[in-house]
Amino acid sequence: MATLEDIGVSAGINLLSAFVFLVVFAILRLQPFNDRVYFPKWYLKGLRTDPLTSGAFMSKIVNLDFRSYLRFLNWIPAALRMPEPELIEHAGLDSAVYLRIYLLGLKIFVPLTIIAWAVLVPVNFTNQTLELSNLTYSDIDKLTISNIPLGSDRFWTHIVYAYVFTFWTCYVLRNEYDIIAKMRLHFLASEHRRPDQFTVLVRNVPPDPDESISELVEHFFLVNHPNHYLTHQVVYNANKLASLVAKKKKLQNWLDYYQLKFSRNQSAGRPTMKTGFLGLWGAKVDAIDYHVSEIEKISKEIAEERDRVRNDPKSVMPAAFVSFKARWGAAVCAQTQQTRNPTLWLTEWAPEPRDVYWENTAIPYVSLTIRRLIMAVAFFFLTFFFMIPIAIVQGMASIEGIEKAAPWLKFLIEQKFIKSVIQGFLPGIALKIFLIFLPTILMMMSKFEGFTSISSLERRSASRYYMFNFINVFLGSVVTGSAFQQLNKFIHQSANDIPKTIGVAIPLKATFFITYIMVDGWAGIAAEILMVKPLIMYHLKNFFLVKTERDREEAMDPGSVGFNTGEPRIQLYFLLGLVYATVSPILLPFILVFFGFAYVVFRHQIINVYNQEYESGAAFWPDVHGRVIAALIIAQILFLGLMSTLDFAMSTPFLIVLPVLTLWFHKYCKGRFEPAFVKYPLQEAMMKDTLERAREPHLNLKGYLQEAYSHPVFKGDEDEDSDEYEASEKWEHESVLVPTKRHSRRNTPLPSKYSGSPTPSLPEIDDKNAHP
């Protein structure tokens, strides 16, 4: 069990590591040859020029201005200087709201920390309960609730504080939800025109023997949305075609490389290569001729596959992106039920084109339920079986575990400093290393479930990451860890006293989380800004693969905020802070350092590095709010259970009220603010449409939307019909004759699968004379 000295050693190691990372970063970012690694966002925006193209040779590689090294920390005020409206314009609302999660942590925990250290810590410390017991404890545990005698009236201080931090947290959450909801509505109202504002994704289109999917979709929306339907794009299963296109691109890059190599040194002769695996064996051939022939072959395969996808009805999925003449029409369609059967013609807002995860658009809708059931079972086993290796690793990363596994190291690890390092640093770093591959596994599971947008993939992965952290990292460490630490005590006491011992022992686990916070939240955040992996990969690519300016841009790896990994980590700190705010407030200052430091680091990264893949308009905020509420309720329930083991049963009526009030508050916020994140107000849509008509009366909207949701492998095709690029219909509503291949008779009612309800009889439509 870590002592106060162990915590001090761990803090020193992590602070030193963080300082070294920051100094190295400050030096590396000043070097011209690293400019594209630490400022890629400005290059992608075209607002920064490459310093390697001008000046003396040495100045292109190394920064010779020694005065700049004296200002190596000026990136911190620079990161804080950009105002939030400018940050939204520069990086988008998603990035700005992501940063507000860190600010939310500061708003909640700064006052709670001040109150806790001014009131709770003295109340806890001025007792001798642990000294008089035979429990295993350290000096730092004297600051926790475990140091108060059973049944003491001092517990009323903690109960009052539980009410204080509950009401304060809810107050801050309510204000933040209100602010972000207004930011989202303002962002949507002031945002430039985007295809997803006019488009819905339609899924589970029922089959029809007389019409293709494309004709069926067009017919359905011309009948049911006659005044607003504009165009549509069916969804193709083009995964094989996409892999061929990617393969051709790779071959083209190698061809460019060999051609450039030959042009630079023709005296060395034409480059050669081996055709075997990784070029290690096989026939030796002319590299340029080989790649030219391979590109010709794959180009023919691409053309054949493209024709097959276009002409094969089996390649068309029962889904389509349907675009409307106005935002109002899209909002009505996306937010209403289309037919009597709620499982057919399902509509939802389309993600923006760059947010679409095209590989999953080819998954039949009927298989999604089965896929998600399989992944739910897989996640269950992953979560609970993962606890076994985590427990083993945590056990080995302790003094007792090392002595048991390697008795010959006992003399070394019993040294005072080594022992402090092991107890104060090793458990946290062991857990951090063990969880490295978890985000990749969870993202793969989310992709298998079939979500059609990158944002929804990240939100699902984040949700599961949070559940994993709660069950394995939090519950697994607190409950089982504390129980095993007191195992000897349990064996030699009566069964009636075991619950009390657990109640006293749980707060003692706070020392482990302090070490984890310092490893992950201090040194880990500092390592984030150093960007070791992108730095190494860029220079390797730049040395071996970069041939043109375009290659150099592709070698940059700005990455993105990474909502699926960053947000669950933040939520773990919310959970730890709220759970331990009352029982062990010693943990709160360490959490404050994390929130403050991470806010500065990620603000710098968002301004200079990260290039967000999509823009959802902060659609993730209800998830953030819900998880903080969940952490608050968990903290209240655990505190209620803890007090019941401390001979203070009279607290139960007072504490049982808190979860009830918190659930009521969550229901209020859900009804008051969440609609702004899941629906688009028709009033806002009409206002934006009216303004756009006045400003651009001759807007060619159909030309703008025609290929917006075409699969990337089809864009730029020369085989497209010229008719598909004709000007859009005028804004005025026109009567539409609906073409159909269905064999209908005069005065036959329209089939219910189109309209979903009985309709008056329609005149017979002559296919020969009908026109769209």
Short mmCIF file of all heavy atoms in Angstrom, two decimals, residues 28-79:
data_model
loop_
_atom_site.label_atom_id
_atom_site.label_comp_id
_atom_site.label_asym_id
_atom_site.label_seq_id
_atom_site.Cartn_x
_atom_site.Cartn_y
_atom_site.Cartn_z
N LEU A 28 11.80 20.74 -30.13
CA LEU A 28 11.52 20.12 -31.42
C LEU A 28 10.59 20.96 -32.28
O LEU A 28 10.73 21.01 -33.50
CB LEU A 28 10.92 18.72 -31.22
CG LEU A 28 11.84 17.64 -30.65
CD1 LEU A 28 11.09 16.34 -30.44
CD2 LEU A 28 13.04 17.42 -31.58
N ARG A 29 9.62 21.63 -31.66
CA ARG A 29 8.66 22.41 -32.45
C ARG A 29 9.29 23.64 -33.09
O ARG A 29 8.72 24.20 -34.03
CB ARG A 29 7.48 22.85 -31.56
CG ARG A 29 7.85 23.87 -30.50
CD ARG A 29 6.69 24.15 -29.56
NE ARG A 29 5.64 24.90 -30.21
CZ ARG A 29 5.57 26.23 -30.22
NH1 ARG A 29 6.53 26.95 -29.63
NH2 ARG A 29 4.58 26.86 -30.80
N LEU A 30 10.45 24.04 -32.59
CA LEU A 30 11.13 25.21 -33.16
C LEU A 30 11.98 24.86 -34.37
O LEU A 30 12.44 25.75 -35.08
CB LEU A 30 12.02 25.87 -32.09
CG LEU A 30 11.28 26.49 -30.89
CD1 LEU A 30 12.29 27.00 -29.86
CD2 LEU A 30 10.36 27.62 -31.34
N GLN A 31 12.22 23.56 -34.59
CA GLN A 31 13.10 23.15 -35.69
C GLN A 31 12.32 23.14 -37.01
O GLN A 31 11.22 22.58 -37.08
CB GLN A 31 13.68 21.77 -35.43
CG GLN A 31 14.30 21.62 -34.05
CD GLN A 31 15.26 22.75 -33.70
OE1 GLN A 31 16.11 23.14 -34.51
NE2 GLN A 31 15.12 23.29 -32.48
N PRO A 32 12.84 23.75 -38.06
CA PRO A 32 12.12 23.84 -39.34
C PRO A 32 11.72 22.48 -39.91
O PRO A 32 10.66 22.35 -40.51
CB PRO A 32 13.12 24.57 -40.25
CG PRO A 32 13.99 25.33 -39.32
CD PRO A 32 14.11 24.50 -38.08
N PHE A 33 12.59 21.45 -39.74
CA PHE A 33 12.26 20.16 -40.35
C PHE A 33 11.13 19.44 -39.61
O PHE A 33 10.64 18.41 -40.08
CB PHE A 33 13.51 19.27 -40.42
CG PHE A 33 14.07 18.87 -39.09
CD1 PHE A 33 13.69 17.69 -38.47
CD2 PHE A 33 15.00 19.68 -38.44
CE1 PHE A 33 14.20 17.31 -37.25
CE2 PHE A 33 15.52 19.31 -37.21
CZ PHE A 33 15.12 18.13 -36.61
N ASN A 34 10.69 19.95 -38.45
CA ASN A 34 9.55 19.38 -37.73
C ASN A 34 8.29 20.21 -37.89
O ASN A 34 7.27 19.93 -37.25
CB ASN A 34 9.87 19.25 -36.24
CG ASN A 34 10.91 18.18 -35.95
OD1 ASN A 34 10.98 17.18 -36.66
ND2 ASN A 34 11.71 18.40 -34.92
N ASP A 35 8.36 21.23 -38.72
CA ASP A 35 7.25 22.19 -38.80
C ASP A 35 5.94 21.52 -39.21
O ASP A 35 4.88 21.84 -38.68
CB ASP A 35 7.60 23.30 -39.79
CG ASP A 35 6.87 24.59 -39.48
OD1 ASP A 35 7.01 25.07 -38.33
OD2 ASP A 35 6.16 25.11 -40.36
N ARG A 36 6.02 20.57 -40.12
CA ARG A 36 4.80 19.91 -40.59
C ARG A 36 4.25 18.91 -39.58
O ARG A 36 3.10 18.48 -39.70
CB ARG A 36 5.07 19.20 -41.92
CG ARG A 36 5.21 20.13 -43.11
CD ARG A 36 5.45 19.35 -44.38
NE ARG A 36 5.52 20.22 -45.55
CZ ARG A 36 4.48 20.53 -46.32
NH1 ARG A 36 3.29 20.03 -46.04
NH2 ARG A 36 4.62 21.32 -47.36
N VAL A 37 5.05 18.53 -38.60
CA VAL A 37 4.58 17.61 -37.58
C VAL A 37 3.80 18.34 -36.50
O VAL A 37 2.75 17.86 -36.04
CB VAL A 37 5.77 16.86 -36.94
CG1 VAL A 37 5.29 15.94 -35.81
CG2 VAL A 37 6.52 16.06 -37.99
N TYR A 38 4.28 19.53 -36.11
CA TYR A 38 3.68 20.24 -35.00
C TYR A 38 2.72 21.36 -35.42
O TYR A 38 2.07 21.95 -34.57
CB TYR A 38 4.78 20.80 -34.09
CG TYR A 38 5.55 19.71 -33.39
CD1 TYR A 38 6.89 19.46 -33.70
CD2 TYR A 38 4.94 18.89 -32.46
CE1 TYR A 38 7.60 18.45 -33.07
CE2 TYR A 38 5.64 17.88 -31.82
CZ TYR A 38 6.97 17.66 -32.14
OH TYR A 38 7.65 16.65 -31.51
N PHE A 39 2.62 21.64 -36.73
CA PHE A 39 1.67 22.64 -37.22
C PHE A 39 0.96 22.17 -38.49
O PHE A 39 0.77 22.95 -39.43
CB PHE A 39 2.39 23.97 -37.50
CG PHE A 39 3.08 24.55 -36.30
CD1 PHE A 39 4.44 24.34 -36.09
CD2 PHE A 39 2.38 25.30 -35.37
CE1 PHE A 39 5.08 24.87 -34.99
CE2 PHE A 39 3.01 25.84 -34.27
CZ PHE A 39 4.37 25.62 -34.07
N PRO A 40 0.55 20.91 -38.57
CA PRO A 40 -0.04 20.42 -39.82
C PRO A 40 -1.36 21.08 -40.18
O PRO A 40 -1.70 21.18 -41.36
CB PRO A 40 -0.21 18.92 -39.55
CG PRO A 40 -0.32 18.81 -38.08
CD PRO A 40 0.59 19.88 -37.53
N LYS A 41 -2.11 21.51 -39.18
CA LYS A 41 -3.43 22.08 -39.49
C LYS A 41 -3.31 23.34 -40.32
O LYS A 41 -4.14 23.59 -41.21
CB LYS A 41 -4.18 22.37 -38.19
CG LYS A 41 -5.62 22.80 -38.42
CD LYS A 41 -6.45 22.52 -37.21
CE LYS A 41 -7.92 22.68 -37.54
NZ LYS A 41 -8.78 22.19 -36.45
N TRP A 42 -2.29 24.14 -40.07
CA TRP A 42 -2.11 25.37 -40.82
C TRP A 42 -1.68 25.08 -42.25
O TRP A 42 -2.02 25.83 -43.18
CB TRP A 42 -1.09 26.26 -40.11
CG TRP A 42 -1.53 26.67 -38.74
CD1 TRP A 42 -1.12 26.14 -37.55
CD2 TRP A 42 -2.49 27.67 -38.41
NE1 TRP A 42 -1.76 26.74 -36.50
CE2 TRP A 42 -2.61 27.69 -37.00
CE3 TRP A 42 -3.27 28.55 -39.16
CZ2 TRP A 42 -3.46 28.56 -36.34
CZ3 TRP A 42 -4.14 29.41 -38.50
CH2 TRP A 42 -4.23 29.42 -37.10
N TYR A 43 -0.95 23.98 -42.45
CA TYR A 43 -0.59 23.57 -43.82
C TYR A 43 -1.82 23.10 -44.59
O TYR A 43 -1.99 23.41 -45.77
CB TYR A 43 0.46 22.47 -43.78
CG TYR A 43 1.85 22.97 -43.47
CD1 TYR A 43 2.34 22.99 -42.18
CD2 TYR A 43 2.69 23.41 -44.49
CE1 TYR A 43 3.61 23.45 -41.88
CE2 TYR A 43 3.97 23.87 -44.21
CZ TYR A 43 4.43 23.88 -42.91
OH TYR A 43 5.69 24.35 -42.63
N LEU A 44 -2.69 22.34 -43.90
CA LEU A 44 -3.89 21.85 -44.56
C LEU A 44 -4.82 22.99 -44.93
O LEU A 44 -5.56 22.90 -45.91
CB LEU A 44 -4.62 20.85 -43.65
CG LEU A 44 -3.86 19.55 -43.35
CD1 LEU A 44 -4.61 18.71 -42.33
CD2 LEU A 44 -3.66 18.75 -44.64
N LYS A 45 -4.78 24.07 -44.16
CA LYS A 45 -5.59 25.24 -44.47
C LYS A 45 -4.92 26.17 -45.48
O LYS A 45 -5.51 27.15 -45.92
CB LYS A 45 -5.90 26.03 -43.18
CG LYS A 45 -6.93 25.38 -42.29
CD LYS A 45 -7.12 26.19 -41.03
CE LYS A 45 -8.32 25.68 -40.23
NZ LYS A 45 -9.61 26.06 -40.85
N GLY A 46 -3.65 25.86 -45.83
CA GLY A 46 -2.92 26.69 -46.77
C GLY A 46 -2.46 28.01 -46.19
O GLY A 46 -2.21 28.97 -46.94
N LEU A 47 -2.32 28.09 -44.87
CA LEU A 47 -1.95 29.34 -44.21
C LEU A 47 -0.52 29.33 -43.68
O LEU A 47 -0.12 30.24 -42.97
CB LEU A 47 -2.92 29.62 -43.05
CG LEU A 47 -4.39 29.76 -43.43
CD1 LEU A 47 -5.25 29.94 -42.19
CD2 LEU A 47 -4.58 30.94 -44.37
N ARG A 48 0.25 28.31 -44.03
CA ARG A 48 1.63 28.22 -43.55
C ARG A 48 2.49 27.67 -44.67
O ARG A 48 2.08 26.74 -45.38
CB ARG A 48 1.72 27.33 -42.31
CG ARG A 48 3.02 27.46 -41.52
CD ARG A 48 2.96 26.60 -40.27
NE ARG A 48 4.15 26.69 -39.44
CZ ARG A 48 4.29 27.50 -38.40
NH1 ARG A 48 3.31 28.30 -38.05
NH2 ARG A 48 5.41 27.51 -37.69
N THR A 49 3.68 28.25 -44.84
CA THR A 49 4.59 27.80 -45.90
C THR A 49 5.73 27.00 -45.28
O THR A 49 6.09 27.18 -44.12
CB THR A 49 5.16 29.00 -46.67
OG1 THR A 49 5.83 29.88 -45.74
CG2 THR A 49 4.04 29.77 -47.37
N ASP A 50 6.28 26.14 -46.09
CA ASP A 50 7.34 25.26 -45.63
C ASP A 50 8.63 26.03 -45.44
O ASP A 50 9.15 26.63 -46.39
CB ASP A 50 7.55 24.14 -46.66
CG ASP A 50 8.30 22.96 -46.05
OD1 ASP A 50 9.05 23.18 -45.09
OD2 ASP A 50 8.11 21.84 -46.55
N PRO A 51 9.22 26.07 -44.22
CA PRO A 51 10.47 26.81 -44.00
C PRO A 51 11.66 26.16 -44.68
O PRO A 51 12.74 26.76 -44.75
CB PRO A 51 10.63 26.79 -42.48
CG PRO A 51 9.89 25.59 -42.03
CD PRO A 51 8.73 25.45 -42.98
N LEU A 52 11.51 24.93 -45.20
CA LEU A 52 12.63 24.25 -45.84
C LEU A 52 12.87 24.73 -47.26
O LEU A 52 13.85 24.34 -47.89
CB LEU A 52 12.37 22.74 -45.87
CG LEU A 52 12.17 22.05 -44.52
CD1 LEU A 52 11.92 20.58 -44.72
CD2 LEU A 52 13.37 22.26 -43.63
N THR A 53 12.01 25.60 -47.77
CA THR A 53 12.15 26.02 -49.16
C THR A 53 12.90 27.32 -49.33
O THR A 53 13.10 27.78 -50.45
CB THR A 53 10.75 26.17 -49.79
OG1 THR A 53 10.00 27.15 -49.03
CG2 THR A 53 9.99 24.85 -49.77
N SER A 54 13.30 27.96 -48.25
CA SER A 54 14.01 29.23 -48.37
C SER A 54 15.07 29.33 -47.28
O SER A 54 15.03 28.64 -46.28
CB SER A 54 13.02 30.40 -48.25
OG SER A 54 12.36 30.37 -46.99
N GLY A 55 16.03 30.24 -47.51
CA GLY A 55 17.08 30.47 -46.54
C GLY A 55 18.29 29.59 -46.77
O GLY A 55 18.33 28.75 -47.68
N ALA A 56 19.28 29.77 -45.90
CA ALA A 56 20.50 28.96 -45.99
C ALA A 56 20.20 27.51 -45.64
O ALA A 56 19.21 27.20 -44.98
CB ALA A 56 21.56 29.52 -45.04
N PHE A 57 21.10 26.62 -46.08
CA PHE A 57 20.85 25.19 -45.90
C PHE A 57 20.73 24.83 -44.42
O PHE A 57 19.80 24.12 -44.02
CB PHE A 57 21.99 24.39 -46.53
CG PHE A 57 21.89 22.92 -46.26
CD1 PHE A 57 20.99 22.13 -46.96
CD2 PHE A 57 22.68 22.32 -45.29
CE1 PHE A 57 20.88 20.77 -46.70
CE2 PHE A 57 22.58 20.96 -45.03
CZ PHE A 57 21.68 20.19 -45.75
N MET A 58 21.62 25.33 -43.59
CA MET A 58 21.61 24.98 -42.18
C MET A 58 20.36 25.52 -41.49
O MET A 58 19.77 24.85 -40.63
CB MET A 58 22.86 25.53 -41.49
CG MET A 58 23.13 24.91 -40.13
SD MET A 58 23.40 23.12 -40.27
CE MET A 58 23.54 22.68 -38.55
N SER A 59 19.92 26.71 -41.87
CA SER A 59 18.75 27.32 -41.25
C SER A 59 17.47 26.60 -41.66
O SER A 59 16.44 26.75 -41.00
CB SER A 59 18.65 28.80 -41.63
OG SER A 59 18.49 28.95 -43.02
N LYS A 60 17.53 25.81 -42.75
CA LYS A 60 16.37 25.02 -43.14
C LYS A 60 16.17 23.83 -42.23
O LYS A 60 15.07 23.29 -42.12
CB LYS A 60 16.52 24.52 -44.59
CG LYS A 60 16.52 25.62 -45.64
CD LYS A 60 16.70 24.99 -47.02
CE LYS A 60 16.76 26.05 -48.11
NZ LYS A 60 16.94 25.44 -49.46
N ILE A 61 17.24 23.39 -41.59
CA ILE A 61 17.18 22.18 -40.76
C ILE A 61 17.08 22.52 -39.28
O ILE A 61 16.26 21.94 -38.57
CB ILE A 61 18.42 21.31 -41.02
CG1 ILE A 61 18.59 21.05 -42.51
CG2 ILE A 61 18.32 20.02 -40.23
CD1 ILE A 61 17.44 20.32 -43.15
N VAL A 62 17.90 23.46 -38.82
CA VAL A 62 17.97 23.78 -37.39
C VAL A 62 17.66 25.25 -37.18
O VAL A 62 18.09 26.11 -37.96
CB VAL A 62 19.38 23.45 -36.83
CG1 VAL A 62 19.45 23.79 -35.35
CG2 VAL A 62 19.73 21.99 -37.08
N ASN A 63 16.93 25.54 -36.15
CA ASN A 63 16.62 26.92 -35.79
C ASN A 63 17.85 27.53 -35.11
O ASN A 63 18.23 27.12 -34.01
CB ASN A 63 15.41 26.94 -34.85
CG ASN A 63 14.94 28.36 -34.55
OD1 ASN A 63 15.61 29.34 -34.87
ND2 ASN A 63 13.78 28.46 -33.93
N LEU A 64 18.45 28.50 -35.77
CA LEU A 64 19.68 29.11 -35.26
C LEU A 64 19.42 30.37 -34.45
O LEU A 64 20.37 31.00 -34.00
CB LEU A 64 20.61 29.43 -36.44
CG LEU A 64 21.05 28.22 -37.28
CD1 LEU A 64 21.92 28.68 -38.44
CD2 LEU A 64 21.78 27.20 -36.42
N ASP A 65 18.15 30.73 -34.28
CA ASP A 65 17.81 31.90 -33.47
C ASP A 65 17.74 31.46 -32.01
O ASP A 65 16.72 30.94 -31.54
CB ASP A 65 16.47 32.47 -33.93
CG ASP A 65 16.10 33.74 -33.16
OD1 ASP A 65 16.96 34.24 -32.39
OD2 ASP A 65 14.96 34.22 -33.32
N PHE A 66 18.85 31.68 -31.28
CA PHE A 66 18.91 31.18 -29.92
C PHE A 66 17.97 31.92 -28.97
O PHE A 66 17.62 31.43 -27.91
CB PHE A 66 20.36 31.28 -29.40
CG PHE A 66 21.30 30.38 -30.15
CD1 PHE A 66 22.14 30.89 -31.12
CD2 PHE A 66 21.33 29.02 -29.87
CE1 PHE A 66 23.01 30.06 -31.82
CE2 PHE A 66 22.20 28.18 -30.55
CZ PHE A 66 23.04 28.70 -31.53
N ARG A 67 17.55 33.14 -29.35
CA ARG A 67 16.61 33.87 -28.51
C ARG A 67 15.25 33.17 -28.45
O ARG A 67 14.54 33.27 -27.45
CB ARG A 67 16.43 35.29 -29.03
CG ARG A 67 17.67 36.18 -28.85
CD ARG A 67 17.46 37.52 -29.51
NE ARG A 67 17.27 37.38 -30.96
CZ ARG A 67 17.05 38.41 -31.77
NH1 ARG A 67 16.99 39.63 -31.29
NH2 ARG A 67 16.89 38.18 -33.06
N SER A 68 14.90 32.44 -29.52
CA SER A 68 13.60 31.74 -29.52
C SER A 68 13.58 30.63 -28.49
O SER A 68 12.50 30.28 -27.99
CB SER A 68 13.32 31.18 -30.92
OG SER A 68 14.30 30.22 -31.28
N TYR A 69 14.75 30.08 -28.14
CA TYR A 69 14.77 29.00 -27.15
C TYR A 69 14.49 29.53 -25.74
O TYR A 69 14.10 28.76 -24.87
CB TYR A 69 16.12 28.30 -27.18
CG TYR A 69 16.38 27.54 -28.45
CD1 TYR A 69 17.09 28.09 -29.51
CD2 TYR A 69 15.87 26.25 -28.63
CE1 TYR A 69 17.32 27.40 -30.68
CE2 TYR A 69 16.09 25.54 -29.80
CZ TYR A 69 16.82 26.13 -30.82
OH TYR A 69 17.03 25.44 -31.99
N LEU A 70 14.72 30.82 -25.53
CA LEU A 70 14.43 31.40 -24.22
C LEU A 70 12.93 31.55 -24.01
O LEU A 70 12.47 31.71 -22.87
CB LEU A 70 15.13 32.76 -24.09
CG LEU A 70 16.66 32.74 -24.22
CD1 LEU A 70 17.20 34.17 -24.15
CD2 LEU A 70 17.28 31.87 -23.14
N ARG A 71 12.20 31.53 -25.10
CA ARG A 71 10.73 31.67 -25.03
C ARG A 71 10.07 30.33 -25.35
O ARG A 71 9.04 30.27 -26.01
CB ARG A 71 10.25 32.74 -26.00
CG ARG A 71 10.90 34.11 -25.79
CD ARG A 71 10.29 35.16 -26.70
NE ARG A 71 10.47 34.83 -28.11
CZ ARG A 71 11.52 35.19 -28.84
NH1 ARG A 71 12.49 35.90 -28.26
NH2 ARG A 71 11.62 34.85 -30.11
N PHE A 72 10.68 29.25 -24.86
CA PHE A 72 10.22 27.92 -25.27
C PHE A 72 8.84 27.56 -24.72
O PHE A 72 8.22 26.61 -25.16
CB PHE A 72 11.25 26.85 -24.85
CG PHE A 72 11.35 26.63 -23.37
CD1 PHE A 72 10.67 25.60 -22.76
CD2 PHE A 72 12.16 27.45 -22.59
CE1 PHE A 72 10.78 25.39 -21.40
CE2 PHE A 72 12.27 27.24 -21.24
CZ PHE A 72 11.58 26.22 -20.62
N LEU A 73 8.33 28.31 -23.73
CA LEU A 73 7.01 28.03 -23.19
C LEU A 73 5.94 29.00 -23.70
O LEU A 73 4.83 29.04 -23.15
CB LEU A 73 7.04 28.08 -21.65
CG LEU A 73 7.83 26.96 -20.95
CD1 LEU A 73 7.80 27.15 -19.45
CD2 LEU A 73 7.24 25.59 -21.31
N ASN A 74 6.28 29.77 -24.73
CA ASN A 74 5.30 30.75 -25.23
C ASN A 74 4.11 30.09 -25.92
O ASN A 74 3.14 30.75 -26.25
CB ASN A 74 5.96 31.75 -26.16
CG ASN A 74 6.51 31.11 -27.42
OD1 ASN A 74 6.53 29.89 -27.54
ND2 ASN A 74 6.99 31.94 -28.34
N TRP A 75 4.19 28.77 -26.17
CA TRP A 75 3.05 28.09 -26.77
C TRP A 75 1.86 28.04 -25.83
O TRP A 75 0.70 27.90 -26.28
CB TRP A 75 3.43 26.67 -27.19
CG TRP A 75 3.81 25.76 -26.05
CD1 TRP A 75 5.05 25.57 -25.52
CD2 TRP A 75 2.92 24.91 -25.30
NE1 TRP A 75 5.00 24.67 -24.49
CE2 TRP A 75 3.70 24.24 -24.35
CE3 TRP A 75 1.55 24.66 -25.36
CZ2 TRP A 75 3.16 23.34 -23.44
CZ3 TRP A 75 1.00 23.75 -24.46
CH2 TRP A 75 1.80 23.11 -23.52
N ILE A 76 2.10 28.13 -24.52
CA ILE A 76 1.00 28.05 -23.55
C ILE A 76 0.10 29.28 -23.65
O ILE A 76 -1.12 29.14 -23.85
CB ILE A 76 1.55 27.85 -22.13
CG1 ILE A 76 2.29 26.51 -22.04
CG2 ILE A 76 0.42 27.92 -21.10
CD1 ILE A 76 2.92 26.24 -20.69
N PRO A 77 0.63 30.52 -23.52
CA PRO A 77 -0.28 31.68 -23.69
C PRO A 77 -0.85 31.76 -25.10
O PRO A 77 -1.97 32.23 -25.29
CB PRO A 77 0.63 32.87 -23.37
CG PRO A 77 2.03 32.38 -23.51
CD PRO A 77 1.99 30.94 -23.14
N ALA A 78 -0.08 31.28 -26.09
CA ALA A 78 -0.60 31.31 -27.47
C ALA A 78 -1.81 30.39 -27.60
O ALA A 78 -2.77 30.71 -28.31
CB ALA A 78 0.49 30.88 -28.44
N ALA A 79 -1.78 29.26 -26.91
CA ALA A 79 -2.91 28.33 -26.97
C ALA A 79 -4.14 28.89 -26.29
O ALA A 79 -5.27 28.59 -26.69
CB ALA A 79 -2.52 27.00 -26.33
#
